[in-house]
Amino acid sequence: MEKKNLLILFILIGLTQVSAFLGVFNLGVVNYLTWLVMGLAAVKFFLVAFVFMELSKAHFFWKFATVLIGLLVVVVVGFWV
């Protein structure tokens, strides 16, 4: 495995642990907890899509569509909950 991919993998594991920590110990930020967790999920989604699925080499349309749908999901879930 390349060093870059290994680093991204450790970052993804760290972000997952931070999300779990925020979910278990809400630290008095219940109002922003959904936004924080969804933001971390979006970062993880973009890392996987652009690094491991090599979307960075794709056509601009697919990059734009992925970012738009990712942000749309975060906003919809953030306002829904």
Side-chain angles (χ1 to χ4, degrees), residues 12-51:
L12 288 169
I13 292 171
L15 289 174
T16 302
Q17 290 177 344
V18 169
S19 297
F21 179 77
L22 287 173
V24 173
F25 307 106
N26 59 21
L27 303 173
V29 291
V30 177
N31 297 338
Y32 301 108
L33 186 63
T34 303
W35 288 102
L36 289 171
V37 172
M38 287 304 296
L40 290 174
V43 170
K44 293 189 303 185
F45 171 72
F46 293 139
L47 282 174
V48 168
F50 283 95
V51 176

PDB file of all heavy atoms in Angstrom, residues 12-51:
ATOM      1  N   LEU A  12      -8.853   8.405   8.117  1.00  0.00           N
ATOM      2  CA  LEU A  12     -10.240   7.928   8.136  1.00  0.00           C
ATOM      3  C   LEU A  12     -10.559   7.206   9.445  1.00  0.00           C
ATOM      4  O   LEU A  12     -11.634   7.401  10.024  1.00  0.00           O
ATOM      5  CB  LEU A  12     -10.497   7.000   6.955  1.00  0.00           C
ATOM      6  CG  LEU A  12     -10.564   7.662   5.586  1.00  0.00           C
ATOM      7  CD1 LEU A  12     -10.553   6.608   4.491  1.00  0.00           C
ATOM      8  CD2 LEU A  12     -11.776   8.540   5.486  1.00  0.00           C
ATOM      9  N   ILE A  13      -9.632   6.399   9.922  1.00  0.00           N
ATOM     10  CA  ILE A  13      -9.840   5.708  11.203  1.00  0.00           C
ATOM     11  C   ILE A  13      -9.923   6.722  12.337  1.00  0.00           C
ATOM     12  O   ILE A  13     -10.775   6.615  13.226  1.00  0.00           O
ATOM     13  CB  ILE A  13      -8.729   4.674  11.443  1.00  0.00           C
ATOM     14  CG1 ILE A  13      -8.852   3.529  10.435  1.00  0.00           C
ATOM     15  CG2 ILE A  13      -8.767   4.133  12.868  1.00  0.00           C
ATOM     16  CD1 ILE A  13      -7.679   2.569  10.432  1.00  0.00           C
ATOM     17  N   GLY A  14      -9.068   7.732  12.307  1.00  0.00           N
ATOM     18  CA  GLY A  14      -9.108   8.777  13.331  1.00  0.00           C
ATOM     19  C   GLY A  14     -10.406   9.567  13.304  1.00  0.00           C
ATOM     20  O   GLY A  14     -10.985   9.860  14.362  1.00  0.00           O
ATOM     21  N   LEU A  15     -10.885   9.906  12.120  1.00  0.00           N
ATOM     22  CA  LEU A  15     -12.153  10.632  12.015  1.00  0.00           C
ATOM     23  C   LEU A  15     -13.323   9.774  12.504  1.00  0.00           C
ATOM     24  O   LEU A  15     -14.261  10.296  13.117  1.00  0.00           O
ATOM     25  CB  LEU A  15     -12.394  11.081  10.572  1.00  0.00           C
ATOM     26  CG  LEU A  15     -11.503  12.201  10.059  1.00  0.00           C
ATOM     27  CD1 LEU A  15     -11.744  12.437   8.579  1.00  0.00           C
ATOM     28  CD2 LEU A  15     -11.735  13.468  10.847  1.00  0.00           C
ATOM     29  N   THR A  16     -13.252   8.477  12.251  1.00  0.00           N
ATOM     30  CA  THR A  16     -14.287   7.580  12.751  1.00  0.00           C
ATOM     31  C   THR A  16     -14.273   7.536  14.268  1.00  0.00           C
ATOM     32  O   THR A  16     -15.330   7.553  14.916  1.00  0.00           O
ATOM     33  CB  THR A  16     -14.089   6.163  12.177  1.00  0.00           C
ATOM     34  OG1 THR A  16     -14.111   6.245  10.755  1.00  0.00           O
ATOM     35  CG2 THR A  16     -15.168   5.225  12.649  1.00  0.00           C
ATOM     36  N   GLN A  17     -13.089   7.506  14.859  1.00  0.00           N
ATOM     37  CA  GLN A  17     -12.995   7.509  16.319  1.00  0.00           C
ATOM     38  C   GLN A  17     -13.496   8.829  16.906  1.00  0.00           C
ATOM     39  O   GLN A  17     -14.154   8.835  17.945  1.00  0.00           O
ATOM     40  CB  GLN A  17     -11.558   7.244  16.750  1.00  0.00           C
ATOM     41  CG  GLN A  17     -11.121   5.828  16.481  1.00  0.00           C
ATOM     42  CD  GLN A  17      -9.676   5.586  16.840  1.00  0.00           C
ATOM     43  OE1 GLN A  17      -8.902   6.525  17.024  1.00  0.00           O
ATOM     44  NE2 GLN A  17      -9.301   4.315  16.922  1.00  0.00           N
ATOM     45  N   VAL A  18     -13.198   9.930  16.249  1.00  0.00           N
ATOM     46  CA  VAL A  18     -13.702  11.232  16.716  1.00  0.00           C
ATOM     47  C   VAL A  18     -15.228  11.264  16.637  1.00  0.00           C
ATOM     48  O   VAL A  18     -15.896  11.751  17.555  1.00  0.00           O
ATOM     49  CB  VAL A  18     -13.072  12.383  15.903  1.00  0.00           C
ATOM     50  CG1 VAL A  18     -13.770  13.700  16.181  1.00  0.00           C
ATOM     51  CG2 VAL A  18     -11.591  12.493  16.202  1.00  0.00           C
ATOM     52  N   SER A  19     -15.792  10.733  15.563  1.00  0.00           N
ATOM     53  CA  SER A  19     -17.255  10.687  15.428  1.00  0.00           C
ATOM     54  C   SER A  19     -17.876   9.843  16.532  1.00  0.00           C
ATOM     55  O   SER A  19     -18.900  10.226  17.114  1.00  0.00           O
ATOM     56  CB  SER A  19     -17.652  10.095  14.075  1.00  0.00           C
ATOM     57  OG  SER A  19     -17.213  10.892  13.038  1.00  0.00           O
ATOM     58  N   ALA A  20     -17.265   8.705  16.817  1.00  0.00           N
ATOM     59  CA  ALA A  20     -17.776   7.845  17.883  1.00  0.00           C
ATOM     60  C   ALA A  20     -17.663   8.534  19.234  1.00  0.00           C
ATOM     61  O   ALA A  20     -18.578   8.464  20.061  1.00  0.00           O
ATOM     62  CB  ALA A  20     -17.021   6.523  17.903  1.00  0.00           C
ATOM     63  N   PHE A  21     -16.543   9.218  19.461  1.00  0.00           N
ATOM     64  CA  PHE A  21     -16.355   9.953  20.712  1.00  0.00           C
ATOM     65  C   PHE A  21     -17.409  11.043  20.862  1.00  0.00           C
ATOM     66  O   PHE A  21     -17.977  11.222  21.941  1.00  0.00           O
ATOM     67  CB  PHE A  21     -14.948  10.567  20.748  1.00  0.00           C
ATOM     68  CG  PHE A  21     -14.662  11.359  21.981  1.00  0.00           C
ATOM     69  CD1 PHE A  21     -14.366  10.730  23.172  1.00  0.00           C
ATOM     70  CD2 PHE A  21     -14.694  12.736  21.950  1.00  0.00           C
ATOM     71  CE1 PHE A  21     -14.100  11.457  24.314  1.00  0.00           C
ATOM     72  CE2 PHE A  21     -14.434  13.477  23.076  1.00  0.00           C
ATOM     73  CZ  PHE A  21     -14.133  12.838  24.274  1.00  0.00           C
ATOM     74  N   LEU A  22     -17.693  11.765  19.803  1.00  0.00           N
ATOM     75  CA  LEU A  22     -18.716  12.813  19.856  1.00  0.00           C
ATOM     76  C   LEU A  22     -20.101  12.227  20.108  1.00  0.00           C
ATOM     77  O   LEU A  22     -20.920  12.832  20.797  1.00  0.00           O
ATOM     78  CB  LEU A  22     -18.736  13.616  18.556  1.00  0.00           C
ATOM     79  CG  LEU A  22     -17.578  14.574  18.337  1.00  0.00           C
ATOM     80  CD1 LEU A  22     -17.646  15.169  16.946  1.00  0.00           C
ATOM     81  CD2 LEU A  22     -17.586  15.666  19.378  1.00  0.00           C
ATOM     82  N   GLY A  23     -20.362  11.058  19.553  1.00  0.00           N
ATOM     83  CA  GLY A  23     -21.659  10.429  19.742  1.00  0.00           C
ATOM     84  C   GLY A  23     -21.872   9.918  21.152  1.00  0.00           C
ATOM     85  O   GLY A  23     -22.974   9.991  21.692  1.00  0.00           O
ATOM     86  N   VAL A  24     -20.812   9.420  21.762  1.00  0.00           N
ATOM     87  CA  VAL A  24     -20.944   8.862  23.109  1.00  0.00           C
ATOM     88  C   VAL A  24     -20.877   9.966  24.162  1.00  0.00           C
ATOM     89  O   VAL A  24     -21.703  10.025  25.066  1.00  0.00           O
ATOM     90  CB  VAL A  24     -19.834   7.813  23.357  1.00  0.00           C
ATOM     91  CG1 VAL A  24     -19.847   7.350  24.800  1.00  0.00           C
ATOM     92  CG2 VAL A  24     -20.010   6.637  22.422  1.00  0.00           C
ATOM     93  N   PHE A  25     -19.905  10.827  24.056  1.00  0.00           N
ATOM     94  CA  PHE A  25     -19.727  11.919  25.013  1.00  0.00           C
ATOM     95  C   PHE A  25     -20.077  13.222  24.307  1.00  0.00           C
ATOM     96  O   PHE A  25     -19.215  13.875  23.734  1.00  0.00           O
ATOM     97  CB  PHE A  25     -18.283  11.984  25.510  1.00  0.00           C
ATOM     98  CG  PHE A  25     -17.766  10.689  26.041  1.00  0.00           C
ATOM     99  CD1 PHE A  25     -16.862   9.951  25.320  1.00  0.00           C
ATOM    100  CD2 PHE A  25     -18.201  10.211  27.259  1.00  0.00           C
ATOM    101  CE1 PHE A  25     -16.371   8.757  25.802  1.00  0.00           C
ATOM    102  CE2 PHE A  25     -17.723   9.014  27.759  1.00  0.00           C
ATOM    103  CZ  PHE A  25     -16.808   8.283  27.029  1.00  0.00           C
ATOM    104  N   ASN A  26     -21.350  13.609  24.333  1.00  0.00           N
ATOM    105  CA  ASN A  26     -21.776  14.747  23.520  1.00  0.00           C
ATOM    106  C   ASN A  26     -21.201  16.079  23.984  1.00  0.00           C
ATOM    107  O   ASN A  26     -21.350  17.079  23.317  1.00  0.00           O
ATOM    108  CB  ASN A  26     -23.297  14.817  23.431  1.00  0.00           C
ATOM    109  CG  ASN A  26     -23.959  14.937  24.779  1.00  0.00           C
ATOM    110  OD1 ASN A  26     -23.338  15.342  25.753  1.00  0.00           O
ATOM    111  ND2 ASN A  26     -25.218  14.569  24.841  1.00  0.00           N
ATOM    112  N   LEU A  27     -20.532  16.140  25.113  1.00  0.00           N
ATOM    113  CA  LEU A  27     -19.772  17.301  25.574  1.00  0.00           C
ATOM    114  C   LEU A  27     -20.583  18.597  25.629  1.00  0.00           C
ATOM    115  O   LEU A  27     -20.042  19.679  25.499  1.00  0.00           O
ATOM    116  CB  LEU A  27     -18.529  17.518  24.701  1.00  0.00           C
ATOM    117  CG  LEU A  27     -17.549  16.341  24.610  1.00  0.00           C
ATOM    118  CD1 LEU A  27     -16.474  16.643  23.596  1.00  0.00           C
ATOM    119  CD2 LEU A  27     -16.956  16.034  25.961  1.00  0.00           C
ATOM    120  N   GLY A  28     -21.870  18.498  25.800  1.00  0.00           N
ATOM    121  CA  GLY A  28     -22.708  19.675  25.947  1.00  0.00           C
ATOM    122  C   GLY A  28     -22.961  20.437  24.659  1.00  0.00           C
ATOM    123  O   GLY A  28     -23.421  21.573  24.700  1.00  0.00           O
ATOM    124  N   VAL A  29     -22.657  19.878  23.530  1.00  0.00           N
ATOM    125  CA  VAL A  29     -22.889  20.552  22.256  1.00  0.00           C
ATOM    126  C   VAL A  29     -23.962  19.803  21.468  1.00  0.00           C
ATOM    127  O   VAL A  29     -23.819  19.568  20.280  1.00  0.00           O
ATOM    128  CB  VAL A  29     -21.594  20.675  21.422  1.00  0.00           C
ATOM    129  CG1 VAL A  29     -20.628  21.633  22.046  1.00  0.00           C
ATOM    130  CG2 VAL A  29     -20.960  19.315  21.221  1.00  0.00           C
ATOM    131  N   VAL A  30     -25.048  19.461  22.136  1.00  0.00           N
ATOM    132  CA  VAL A  30     -26.093  18.662  21.509  1.00  0.00           C
ATOM    133  C   VAL A  30     -26.669  19.367  20.292  1.00  0.00           C
ATOM    134  O   VAL A  30     -27.008  18.729  19.291  1.00  0.00           O
ATOM    135  CB  VAL A  30     -27.207  18.343  22.540  1.00  0.00           C
ATOM    136  CG1 VAL A  30     -28.337  17.583  21.900  1.00  0.00           C
ATOM    137  CG2 VAL A  30     -26.627  17.561  23.704  1.00  0.00           C
ATOM    138  N   ASN A  31     -26.768  20.686  20.350  1.00  0.00           N
ATOM    139  CA  ASN A  31     -27.335  21.433  19.225  1.00  0.00           C
ATOM    140  C   ASN A  31     -26.499  21.285  17.959  1.00  0.00           C
ATOM    141  O   ASN A  31     -27.033  21.281  16.850  1.00  0.00           O
ATOM    142  CB  ASN A  31     -27.453  22.910  19.577  1.00  0.00           C
ATOM    143  CG  ASN A  31     -28.402  23.141  20.733  1.00  0.00           C
ATOM    144  OD1 ASN A  31     -29.256  22.320  21.006  1.00  0.00           O
ATOM    145  ND2 ASN A  31     -28.225  24.245  21.417  1.00  0.00           N
ATOM    146  N   TYR A  32     -25.196  21.183  18.112  1.00  0.00           N
ATOM    147  CA  TYR A  32     -24.306  21.117  16.958  1.00  0.00           C
ATOM    148  C   TYR A  32     -23.799  19.713  16.680  1.00  0.00           C
ATOM    149  O   TYR A  32     -23.034  19.513  15.743  1.00  0.00           O
ATOM    150  CB  TYR A  32     -23.104  22.040  17.165  1.00  0.00           C
ATOM    151  CG  TYR A  32     -23.506  23.468  17.366  1.00  0.00           C
ATOM    152  CD1 TYR A  32     -23.404  24.086  18.612  1.00  0.00           C
ATOM    153  CD2 TYR A  32     -24.012  24.213  16.312  1.00  0.00           C
ATOM    154  CE1 TYR A  32     -23.781  25.399  18.788  1.00  0.00           C
ATOM    155  CE2 TYR A  32     -24.389  25.527  16.472  1.00  0.00           C
ATOM    156  CZ  TYR A  32     -24.272  26.111  17.716  1.00  0.00           C
ATOM    157  OH  TYR A  32     -24.648  27.401  17.890  1.00  0.00           O
ATOM    158  N   LEU A  33     -24.219  18.743  17.473  1.00  0.00           N
ATOM    159  CA  LEU A  33     -23.702  17.389  17.339  1.00  0.00           C
ATOM    160  C   LEU A  33     -24.008  16.793  15.973  1.00  0.00           C
ATOM    161  O   LEU A  33     -23.149  16.174  15.350  1.00  0.00           O
ATOM    162  CB  LEU A  33     -24.260  16.491  18.453  1.00  0.00           C
ATOM    163  CG  LEU A  33     -23.689  15.092  18.515  1.00  0.00           C
ATOM    164  CD1 LEU A  33     -22.199  15.161  18.809  1.00  0.00           C
ATOM    165  CD2 LEU A  33     -24.382  14.283  19.592  1.00  0.00           C
ATOM    166  N   THR A  34     -25.221  16.986  15.489  1.00  0.00           N
ATOM    167  CA  THR A  34     -25.590  16.452  14.177  1.00  0.00           C
ATOM    168  C   THR A  34     -24.719  17.054  13.089  1.00  0.00           C
ATOM    169  O   THR A  34     -24.226  16.343  12.210  1.00  0.00           O
ATOM    170  CB  THR A  34     -27.067  16.745  13.878  1.00  0.00           C
ATOM    171  OG1 THR A  34     -27.865  16.208  14.911  1.00  0.00           O
ATOM    172  CG2 THR A  34     -27.482  16.151  12.552  1.00  0.00           C
ATOM    173  N   TRP A  35     -24.514  18.361  13.155  1.00  0.00           N
ATOM    174  CA  TRP A  35     -23.700  19.031  12.138  1.00  0.00           C
ATOM    175  C   TRP A  35     -22.247  18.559  12.197  1.00  0.00           C
ATOM    176  O   TRP A  35     -21.604  18.370  11.165  1.00  0.00           O
ATOM    177  CB  TRP A  35     -23.767  20.542  12.301  1.00  0.00           C
ATOM    178  CG  TRP A  35     -25.092  21.101  11.892  1.00  0.00           C
ATOM    179  CD1 TRP A  35     -26.104  21.491  12.710  1.00  0.00           C
ATOM    180  CD2 TRP A  35     -25.570  21.304  10.559  1.00  0.00           C
ATOM    181  NE1 TRP A  35     -27.169  21.930  11.965  1.00  0.00           N
ATOM    182  CE2 TRP A  35     -26.867  21.836  10.648  1.00  0.00           C
ATOM    183  CE3 TRP A  35     -25.009  21.097   9.304  1.00  0.00           C
ATOM    184  CZ2 TRP A  35     -27.611  22.154   9.525  1.00  0.00           C
ATOM    185  CZ3 TRP A  35     -25.753  21.419   8.179  1.00  0.00           C
ATOM    186  CH2 TRP A  35     -27.042  21.942   8.301  1.00  0.00           C
ATOM    187  N   LEU A  36     -21.722  18.374  13.409  1.00  0.00           N
ATOM    188  CA  LEU A  36     -20.343  17.909  13.551  1.00  0.00           C
ATOM    189  C   LEU A  36     -20.160  16.508  12.988  1.00  0.00           C
ATOM    190  O   LEU A  36     -19.225  16.243  12.225  1.00  0.00           O
ATOM    191  CB  LEU A  36     -19.924  17.943  15.020  1.00  0.00           C
ATOM    192  CG  LEU A  36     -19.705  19.300  15.650  1.00  0.00           C
ATOM    193  CD1 LEU A  36     -19.501  19.176  17.151  1.00  0.00           C
ATOM    194  CD2 LEU A  36     -18.513  19.977  15.019  1.00  0.00           C
ATOM    195  N   VAL A  37     -21.055  15.608  13.360  1.00  0.00           N
ATOM    196  CA  VAL A  37     -20.945  14.224  12.895  1.00  0.00           C
ATOM    197  C   VAL A  37     -21.156  14.149  11.385  1.00  0.00           C
ATOM    198  O   VAL A  37     -20.432  13.433  10.680  1.00  0.00           O
ATOM    199  CB  VAL A  37     -21.929  13.314  13.660  1.00  0.00           C
ATOM    200  CG1 VAL A  37     -21.971  11.930  13.063  1.00  0.00           C
ATOM    201  CG2 VAL A  37     -21.541  13.243  15.125  1.00  0.00           C
ATOM    202  N   MET A  38     -22.124  14.889  10.865  1.00  0.00           N
ATOM    203  CA  MET A  38     -22.355  14.874   9.419  1.00  0.00           C
ATOM    204  C   MET A  38     -21.195  15.528   8.665  1.00  0.00           C
ATOM    205  O   MET A  38     -20.849  15.110   7.560  1.00  0.00           O
ATOM    206  CB  MET A  38     -23.673  15.565   9.082  1.00  0.00           C
ATOM    207  CG  MET A  38     -24.891  14.766   9.462  1.00  0.00           C
ATOM    208  SD  MET A  38     -24.908  13.117   8.737  1.00  0.00           S
ATOM    209  CE  MET A  38     -24.996  13.490   7.000  1.00  0.00           C
ATOM    210  N   GLY A  39     -20.601  16.546   9.240  1.00  0.00           N
ATOM    211  CA  GLY A  39     -19.426  17.163   8.623  1.00  0.00           C
ATOM    212  C   GLY A  39     -18.256  16.195   8.546  1.00  0.00           C
ATOM    213  O   GLY A  39     -17.573  16.104   7.524  1.00  0.00           O
ATOM    214  N   LEU A  40     -18.032  15.460   9.626  1.00  0.00           N
ATOM    215  CA  LEU A  40     -16.978  14.455   9.618  1.00  0.00           C
ATOM    216  C   LEU A  40     -17.289  13.346   8.617  1.00  0.00           C
ATOM    217  O   LEU A  40     -16.390  12.846   7.919  1.00  0.00           O
ATOM    218  CB  LEU A  40     -16.781  13.871  11.020  1.00  0.00           C
ATOM    219  CG  LEU A  40     -16.161  14.813  12.044  1.00  0.00           C
ATOM    220  CD1 LEU A  40     -16.162  14.169  13.420  1.00  0.00           C
ATOM    221  CD2 LEU A  40     -14.755  15.198  11.649  1.00  0.00           C
ATOM    222  N   ALA A  41     -18.550  12.965   8.526  1.00  0.00           N
ATOM    223  CA  ALA A  41     -18.942  11.943   7.553  1.00  0.00           C
ATOM    224  C   ALA A  41     -18.713  12.433   6.131  1.00  0.00           C
ATOM    225  O   ALA A  41     -18.288  11.664   5.258  1.00  0.00           O
ATOM    226  CB  ALA A  41     -20.402  11.556   7.760  1.00  0.00           C
ATOM    227  N   ALA A  42     -18.983  13.710   5.888  1.00  0.00           N
ATOM    228  CA  ALA A  42     -18.757  14.275   4.553  1.00  0.00           C
ATOM    229  C   ALA A  42     -17.266  14.285   4.213  1.00  0.00           C
ATOM    230  O   ALA A  42     -16.880  13.949   3.088  1.00  0.00           O
ATOM    231  CB  ALA A  42     -19.325  15.686   4.475  1.00  0.00           C
ATOM    232  N   VAL A  43     -16.441  14.641   5.180  1.00  0.00           N
ATOM    233  CA  VAL A  43     -14.992  14.625   4.954  1.00  0.00           C
ATOM    234  C   VAL A  43     -14.526  13.215   4.626  1.00  0.00           C
ATOM    235  O   VAL A  43     -13.744  13.001   3.685  1.00  0.00           O
ATOM    236  CB  VAL A  43     -14.239  15.188   6.180  1.00  0.00           C
ATOM    237  CG1 VAL A  43     -12.749  14.947   6.070  1.00  0.00           C
ATOM    238  CG2 VAL A  43     -14.533  16.662   6.359  1.00  0.00           C
ATOM    239  N   LYS A  44     -15.025  12.238   5.374  1.00  0.00           N
ATOM    240  CA  LYS A  44     -14.655  10.849   5.103  1.00  0.00           C
ATOM    241  C   LYS A  44     -15.140  10.419   3.718  1.00  0.00           C
ATOM    242  O   LYS A  44     -14.420   9.745   2.981  1.00  0.00           O
ATOM    243  CB  LYS A  44     -15.219   9.921   6.185  1.00  0.00           C
ATOM    244  CG  LYS A  44     -14.577  10.138   7.540  1.00  0.00           C
ATOM    245  CD  LYS A  44     -14.962   9.085   8.558  1.00  0.00           C
ATOM    246  CE  LYS A  44     -16.434   8.961   8.768  1.00  0.00           C
ATOM    247  NZ  LYS A  44     -16.794   8.028   9.849  1.00  0.00           N
ATOM    248  N   PHE A  45     -16.358  10.807   3.360  1.00  0.00           N
ATOM    249  CA  PHE A  45     -16.909  10.477   2.048  1.00  0.00           C
ATOM    250  C   PHE A  45     -16.051  11.055   0.935  1.00  0.00           C
ATOM    251  O   PHE A  45     -15.718  10.371  -0.037  1.00  0.00           O
ATOM    252  CB  PHE A  45     -18.347  10.999   1.954  1.00  0.00           C
ATOM    253  CG  PHE A  45     -18.945  10.917   0.578  1.00  0.00           C
ATOM    254  CD1 PHE A  45     -19.309   9.693   0.047  1.00  0.00           C
ATOM    255  CD2 PHE A  45     -19.143  12.052  -0.179  1.00  0.00           C
ATOM    256  CE1 PHE A  45     -19.860   9.605  -1.229  1.00  0.00           C
ATOM    257  CE2 PHE A  45     -19.687  11.983  -1.438  1.00  0.00           C
ATOM    258  CZ  PHE A  45     -20.051  10.748  -1.967  1.00  0.00           C
ATOM    259  N   PHE A  46     -15.656  12.320   1.074  1.00  0.00           N
ATOM    260  CA  PHE A  46     -14.846  12.960   0.043  1.00  0.00           C
ATOM    261  C   PHE A  46     -13.451  12.346  -0.036  1.00  0.00           C
ATOM    262  O   PHE A  46     -12.892  12.198  -1.126  1.00  0.00           O
ATOM    263  CB  PHE A  46     -14.764  14.461   0.267  1.00  0.00           C
ATOM    264  CG  PHE A  46     -16.075  15.170   0.089  1.00  0.00           C
ATOM    265  CD1 PHE A  46     -16.463  16.175   0.955  1.00  0.00           C
ATOM    266  CD2 PHE A  46     -16.931  14.825  -0.941  1.00  0.00           C
ATOM    267  CE1 PHE A  46     -17.670  16.829   0.796  1.00  0.00           C
ATOM    268  CE2 PHE A  46     -18.141  15.474  -1.120  1.00  0.00           C
ATOM    269  CZ  PHE A  46     -18.509  16.479  -0.246  1.00  0.00           C
ATOM    270  N   LEU A  47     -12.870  11.993   1.099  1.00  0.00           N
ATOM    271  CA  LEU A  47     -11.559  11.346   1.081  1.00  0.00           C
ATOM    272  C   LEU A  47     -11.619  10.007   0.351  1.00  0.00           C
ATOM    273  O   LEU A  47     -10.762   9.693  -0.480  1.00  0.00           O
ATOM    274  CB  LEU A  47     -11.031  11.145   2.501  1.00  0.00           C
ATOM    275  CG  LEU A  47     -10.437  12.360   3.186  1.00  0.00           C
ATOM    276  CD1 LEU A  47     -10.103  12.046   4.636  1.00  0.00           C
ATOM    277  CD2 LEU A  47      -9.206  12.831   2.459  1.00  0.00           C
ATOM    278  N   VAL A  48     -12.632   9.212   0.669  1.00  0.00           N
ATOM    279  CA  VAL A  48     -12.759   7.911   0.010  1.00  0.00           C
ATOM    280  C   VAL A  48     -13.015   8.098  -1.479  1.00  0.00           C
ATOM    281  O   VAL A  48     -12.393   7.437  -2.319  1.00  0.00           O
ATOM    282  CB  VAL A  48     -13.875   7.067   0.661  1.00  0.00           C
ATOM    283  CG1 VAL A  48     -14.212   5.854  -0.168  1.00  0.00           C
ATOM    284  CG2 VAL A  48     -13.469   6.643   2.065  1.00  0.00           C
ATOM    285  N   ALA A  49     -13.909   9.003  -1.822  1.00  0.00           N
ATOM    286  CA  ALA A  49     -14.266   9.195  -3.231  1.00  0.00           C
ATOM    287  C   ALA A  49     -13.093   9.725  -4.051  1.00  0.00           C
ATOM    288  O   ALA A  49     -12.819   9.229  -5.144  1.00  0.00           O
ATOM    289  CB  ALA A  49     -15.452  10.146  -3.352  1.00  0.00           C
ATOM    290  N   PHE A  50     -12.386  10.714  -3.536  1.00  0.00           N
ATOM    291  CA  PHE A  50     -11.347  11.345  -4.338  1.00  0.00           C
ATOM    292  C   PHE A  50     -10.014  10.620  -4.282  1.00  0.00           C
ATOM    293  O   PHE A  50      -9.233  10.691  -5.221  1.00  0.00           O
ATOM    294  CB  PHE A  50     -11.170  12.810  -3.922  1.00  0.00           C
ATOM    295  CG  PHE A  50     -12.238  13.702  -4.463  1.00  0.00           C
ATOM    296  CD1 PHE A  50     -13.347  14.017  -3.702  1.00  0.00           C
ATOM    297  CD2 PHE A  50     -12.150  14.203  -5.741  1.00  0.00           C
ATOM    298  CE1 PHE A  50     -14.350  14.825  -4.210  1.00  0.00           C
ATOM    299  CE2 PHE A  50     -13.139  15.011  -6.261  1.00  0.00           C
ATOM    300  CZ  PHE A  50     -14.241  15.327  -5.489  1.00  0.00           C
ATOM    301  N   VAL A  51      -9.725   9.911  -3.195  1.00  0.00           N
ATOM    302  CA  VAL A  51      -8.435   9.232  -3.090  1.00  0.00           C
ATOM    303  C   VAL A  51      -8.536   7.773  -3.505  1.00  0.00           C
ATOM    304  O   VAL A  51      -7.839   7.318  -4.412  1.00  0.00           O
ATOM    305  CB  VAL A  51      -7.868   9.347  -1.656  1.00  0.00           C
ATOM    306  CG1 VAL A  51      -6.582   8.549  -1.532  1.00  0.00           C
ATOM    307  CG2 VAL A  51      -7.617  10.799  -1.307  1.00  0.00           C
TER     308      VAL A  51
END
